[in-house]
Amino acid sequence: NHDTQAEKVQKAFSSMSLDGSDKKRATTINAKAKAFNPRAKTFNPKAKTFNPRGLKRDAASKSSFNPSAQAFNPSRGSSRASSSAATTQDTKAPAATATATTIPTPQTAPFHHQQQQQYSMEGGGKGSYYVGQQMGGSGMQGMHEMYAPSGPPASSLSQHQQQQLAATWNMQQQAMGSGMGAAQLQQHQAAAAAHVGGYHHQAPPHHPRHPAVGPGMPSSMMPTYSEPMGMAQMDGYDWEAEREEQKKILLPLRRPVQSFFMPPALAEEYENQNRLLTARLQPEDREFYRLPITVDHERYHSLWPLPPEYDAMPTKYSSYFYKVTSTKDGLHYVLRRFVCSNSEDYAAKAIAPWIRIQRLSNGCHPSIIPVRTVFESQDFDEGKCLCFIYDYYPSGVPIATQYSIQRDESRGDSKRFFARAGRVIPEQHLWSFLTQLLTALVTIHPQGLAAMSINPYRVLVQSNRVRLNFCGINEALQLVPADKSVAELQFEDLRNACQLMMSIACGCDINTKPLEKMAFEQVMKNRYSADFCGILKFVLFTQHAKEKLPTVWDVQSLAWHKLVNELQQSYAHIDYLENQLAKEHQNGRLFSLISKLGFITERPEHRNDPKWSETGDRYLVKLFRDSVFHSVDEGGRPQIDLGHVINCLNKLDAASVEKTLLTSRNQDSLLVVSYKELNRCVRSAFEELLRASESKTATS
């Protein structure tokens, strides 16, 4: 509290006896030449420092200024040896500082660009603690703590230098008393420092009060540093408190550990996908002995049964689903097996156009799960089967499972049928699903094909992405209605897409015209916008002639503005995933470097040399490994600092010219080596191991 500290100083002043001349002199002192430091409890009118706990003057020269004696350092403690004798000084110095009514408070102090209050460091001349007060307007704007030497001790100056110091100091006092501006006052201070010939030297990085200097700091505010603390000061210094203070300062500037990795939600999704990809049957499973080890002449192996809801749409033939692994490329696929006697050749011709669509889409369409091949198999217990191979998306589930869409037998009772329609699906999700399905149909329909698989049980959803599954099944199994043309089948795809949107919104399977009208009137019109309901009305409730059925282009023209939004969101998601990919690239680079260190260090024997990892370049690699992963603090506690690990590994990988100190475990050896040299050591040692692994003769 600045006011409380000022009152204490005023009481100290009032307890002293002053003569009339001193009082008169105190009232005429220029306010610009005075500064009050509430933190140090100090009032300095003309470089004659007043300390409430004791006044210290240079006994040898009362008229000249002694920078090594007139000082007090609050961070190191006052000069106790001189505090008791300070009160016995003559009354001239207190007389110049005794009028408490003229003390400028922090609220009324005039502008000083950088008024420096000078204090000694335990009574010696080693340095001083500068508190620069930057005053402006009506109050204090900031205080900048810094170290600066007060100049060499008075005993080390020659008589000529002392005379120059006294002359320049008197000149500065006259300038301060005349009300000189801040810029001119700084020039006088610079001239005084030039006469003294002060020395400035950089403090070591481990200095407990090492300040942070910004690159944009003015030259007048650039800090200088004192000499390192002596052994006596270091023994009594509270290093734990200093460490905690530094942590508080640096904590907002440090990156959190999580920023080096992908978000937990995305990582959990990938972990779930990896768990499904690596799932295998165990001997205690019932299906372990019933399923073949391989199918299609050992082209696929490791069969894992998928749940029946993977495709709950009833078909003419019994079907089963399995996750399989290809021996050709090691990728995972879905094998759908139909127990039927259909010809493999006919099925292969039926899916050929769907395979051609993949080539037109540069591999595969993002909203169509591609079919790879079809073959006959007799490896199962049921005998001859027709098997289709599709790509496998581990976290993809049918829309009916994701949104709990169920068939309701009491379709005549509207209240019971839509009892589960109390939930509200965001319209943005429905627009996204509809536009994705339209982009898939834009690719399918121009090829003279119809999807015939848009229903809640065959459309998979994965992280707001929808994909048409099991396309080409109806053509291969000869399940295409013979009384409908291609245009009618394509229009049926549009109807199925709109029905799917209402099924998601209502939570029930909408697949008949009465249900369409009921769901549209009771749910869709009350919850969703006119634009979205307009598309449903155009496709489902508008009478169209068979010769002029709406096409996918007509429906897409009604949703073009939402297609633009979907494209923008897709680009944003691509940028997000690329950012996460860049993080994992950096992590993979560091993992490669850590793997090399693991191959080299602590190797028991190589080329019949049990001390191979303890000699030559390998010894430096071992010491570096210890300094990165096995470092401890002064209390012997392990330092678990991921930032330190990443910093050191990045410098090693970049072959930086910066040097580091390596210490042996018994602390008998200290080695200063650059990261560039360590990088060369790692490369040479790893290349030696690589050549030995590729050699045909045994090396140990």
Side-chain angles (χ1 to χ4, degrees):
N1 192 320
H2 296 172
D3 297 336
T4 304
Q5 295 174 358
E7 292 176 0
K8 293 181 180 180
V9 178
Q10 292 174 5
K11 292 180 181 180
F13 289 157
S14 61
S15 63
M16 299 180 182
S17 60
L18 302 176
D19 53 12
S21 60
D22 292 332
K23 292 182 179 179
K24 182 178 180 181
R25 180 185 177 187
T27 57
T28 58
I29 293 177
N30 189 352
K32 293 185 179 180
K34 296 184 294 184
F36 173 68
N37 187 348
R39 295 179 60 186
K41 302 178 183 178
T42 304
F43 175 70
N44 186 354
K46 288 188 178 181
K48 297 181 176 62
T49 304
F50 172 75
N51 186 350
R53 291 190 291 177
L55 182 65
K56 185 172 183 180
R57 294 287 306 277
D58 186 10
S61 176
K62 297 182 180 180
S63 59
S64 63
F65 169 71
N66 188 346
S68 64
Q70 284 182 318
F72 167 73
N73 190 344
S75 64
R76 297 291 183 266
S78 62
S79 180
R80 297 182 177 86
S82 59
S83 61
S84 60
T87 57
T88 62
Q89 298 292 337
D90 57 344
T91 59
K92 185 177 182 180
T97 63
T99 305
T101 57
T102 61
I103 297 177
T105 63
Q107 288 77 15
T108 61
F111 173 80
H112 292 270
H113 179 69
Q114 190 179 5
Q115 189 81 13
Q116 295 180 342
Q117 304 298 331
Q118 193 172 25
Y119 302 92
S120 70
M121 185 179 293
E122 299 202 1
K126 301 260 178 162
S128 65
Y129 183 72
Y130 274 14
V131 181
Q133 295 185 357
Q134 189 171 0
M135 314 289 289
S138 61
M140 180 181 298
Q141 299 296 328
M143 301 182 67
H144 307 276
E145 296 186 2
M146 60 190 72
Y147 274 85
S150 59
S155 58
S156 63
L157 296 177
S158 63
Q159 184 178 3
H160 177 68
Q161 289 178 332
Q162 293 182 10
Q163 293 176 358
Q164 287 183 337
L165 175 61
T168 54
W169 186 256
N170 292 332
M171 179 178 60
Q172 185 176 357
Q173 285 182 331
Q174 296 174 3
M176 294 171 62
S178 61
M180 185 174 293
Q184 296 176 343
L185 182 60
Q186 289 182 2
Q187 295 179 0
H188 282 277
Q189 291 176 348
H195 280 292
V196 176
Y199 52 93
H200 302 277
H201 42 267
Q202 188 80 9
H206 64 271
H207 200 283
R209 301 284 300 180
H210 193 284
V213 182
M217 183 178 292
S219 59
S220 61
M221 298 177 60
M222 288 295 291
T224 53
Y225 303 95
S226 63
E227 294 180 351
M229 293 188 299
M231 294 300 297
Q233 296 170 333
M234 295 178 64
D235 291 340
Y237 191 77
D238 190 357
W239 294 100
E240 291 294 336
E242 183 65 30
R243 184 181 293 106
E244 294 298 328
E245 181 180 355
Q246 291 180 358
K247 286 182 179 180
K248 293 179 181 179
I249 297 174
L250 297 177
L251 185 60
L253 306 177
R254 301 184 66 179
R255 289 180 57 185
V257 175
Q258 187 57 44
S259 65
F260 292 95
F261 306 97
M262 66 177 61
L266 187 61
E268 182 180 359
E269 180 181 352
Y270 287 146
E271 289 176 1
N272 183 41
Q273 293 182 16
N274 184 67
R275 179 180 59 84
L276 295 175
L277 288 173
T278 57
R280 296 290 186 275
L281 286 175
Q282 301 301 323
E284 57 270 15
D285 295 329
R286 185 180 61 180
E287 300 288 339
F288 182 79
Y289 299 100
R290 295 181 63 252
L291 296 177
I293 299 177
T294 62
V295 294
D296 194 22
H297 308 290
E298 300 184 355
R299 289 184 59 185
Y300 302 97
H301 62 88
S302 302
L303 277 70
W304 171 267
L306 295 177
E309 57 267 17
Y310 197 75
D311 184 6
M313 192 68 181
T315 58
K316 181 179 178 181
Y317 306 102
S318 300
S319 63
Y320 304 90
F321 314 94
Y322 308 95
K323 176 186 70 69
V324 297
T325 304
S326 173
T327 57
K328 183 177 181 180
D329 53 18
L331 299 179
H332 303 279
Y333 298 93
V334 172
L335 186 150
R336 183 167 189 179
R337 177 173 65 93
F338 289 92
V339 182
C340 63
S341 58
N342 292 42
S343 172
E344 176 184 351
D345 296 335
Y346 182 86
K349 293 179 181 179
I351 66 171
W354 293 96
I355 297 177
R356 185 167 58 251
I357 289 179
Q358 303 170 20
R359 301 189 185 126
L360 296 176
S361 302
N362 296 326
C364 64
H365 192 277
S367 297
I368 303 174
I369 297 179
V371 56
R372 298 300 178 180
T373 185
V374 59
F375 59 89
E376 292 180 357
S377 176
Q378 295 183 355
D379 299 323
F380 297 89
D381 297 339
E382 291 83 357
K384 184 179 179 181
C385 301
L386 192 62
C387 301
F388 296 84
I389 299 295
Y390 290 86
D391 284 359
Y392 179 52
Y393 292 87
S395 58
V397 295
I399 285 183
T401 303
Q402 181 71 17
Y403 292 95
S404 302
I405 298 176
Q406 299 179 359
R407 295 184 178 92
D408 199 318
E409 300 298 336
S410 58
R411 296 179 179 178
D413 189 355
S414 60
K415 294 183 179 180
R416 181 179 177 184
F417 185 73
F418 295 109
R420 302 182 62 257
R423 61 179 183 177
V424 177
I425 304 299
E427 183 176 343
Q428 183 180 1
H429 289 181
L430 298 181
W431 275 115
S432 177
F433 294 162
L434 182 60
T435 54
Q436 292 180 57
L437 293 177
L438 290 178
T439 57
L441 296 180
V442 165
T443 304
I444 295 173
H445 288 181
Q447 304 302 319
L449 301 173
M452 292 183 291
S453 60
I454 302 179
N455 55 68
Y457 312 102
R458 285 192 178 179
V459 177
L460 300 185
V461 59
Q462 177 187 9
S463 301
N464 293 330
R465 289 287 309 280
V466 293
R467 294 180 173 89
L468 298 180
N469 199 12
F470 300 130
C471 294
I473 291 290
N474 293 336
E475 293 90 334
L477 298 179
Q478 302 180 12
L479 301 178
V480 179
D483 57 341
K484 291 186 178 181
S485 63
V486 175
E488 292 176 338
L489 293 176
Q490 292 178 352
F491 178 68
E492 195 68 23
D493 287 342
L494 297 177
R495 290 183 55 87
N496 292 337
C498 294
Q499 290 176 355
L500 179 61
M501 297 301 104
M502 289 197 296
S503 299
I504 296 174
C506 299
C508 301
D509 188 8
I510 309 297
N511 53 12
T512 62
K513 290 186 177 181
L515 291 176
E516 292 173 0
K517 186 175 181 179
M518 190 183 306
F520 184 80
E521 294 293 337
Q522 298 185 16
V523 178
M524 305 306 296
K525 290 179 64 176
N526 298 330
R527 297 180 181 177
Y528 299 102
S529 65
D531 291 342
F532 188 77
C533 294
I535 294 180
L536 301 181
K537 186 176 181 180
F538 173 73
V539 175
L540 299 176
F541 306 109
T542 303
Q543 297 295 332
H544 304 285
K546 291 186 177 181
E547 296 79 10
K548 295 183 178 180
L549 292 174
T551 64
V552 65
W553 304 104
D554 299 330
V555 179
Q556 192 178 36
S557 63
L558 300 176
W560 66 269
H561 56 293
K562 296 300 180 180
L563 289 172
V564 175
N565 295 338
E566 188 70 16
L567 186 63
Q568 293 174 351
Q569 295 178 4
S570 300
Y571 287 154
H573 190 64
I574 290 173
D575 294 339
Y576 168 76
L577 293 181
E578 286 183 350
N579 186 21
Q580 304 305 322
L581 180 62
K583 292 181 182 179
E584 297 309 313
H585 167 71
Q586 299 296 333
N587 296 337
R589 178 176 57 84
L590 296 183
F591 173 76
S592 175
L593 189 58
I594 293 176
S595 300
K596 293 180 181 179
L597 296 178
F599 283 121
I600 297 171
T601 57
E602 306 296 343
R603 180 170 287 274
E605 184 177 359
H606 178 61
R607 296 188 181 276
N608 298 324
D609 184 6
K611 295 184 178 181
W612 178 83
S613 61
E614 303 288 339
T615 58
D617 295 341
R618 285 81 60 189
Y619 183 66
L620 293 178
V621 177
K622 176 184 176 181
L623 295 184
F624 174 76
R625 191 275 313 268
D626 290 344
S627 67
V628 173
F629 297 102
H630 300 163
S631 59
V632 297
D633 59 7
E634 61 274 6
R637 293 166 297 194
Q639 286 188 336
I640 310 300
D641 189 356
L642 184 61
H644 170 69
V645 174
I646 294 176
N647 185 33
C648 294
L649 292 179
N650 281 330
K651 291 178 181 179
L652 176 63
D653 191 43
S656 173
V657 296
E658 181 180 343
K659 297 181 182 295
T660 183
L661 177 64
L662 303 180
T663 308
S664 61
R665 295 183 177 180
N666 55 11
Q667 298 183 357
D668 290 342
S669 301
L670 297 177
L671 300 176
V672 178
V673 61
S674 66
Y675 287 97
K676 184 177 182 180
E677 183 66 20
L678 289 172
N679 181 276
R680 184 197 61 80
C681 295
V682 172
R683 288 203 321 270
S684 62
F686 183 74
E687 289 174 357
E688 181 180 349
L689 293 176
L690 198 60
R691 289 192 300 268
S693 65
E694 295 175 353
S695 61
K696 297 181 180 180
T697 59
T699 59
S700 61

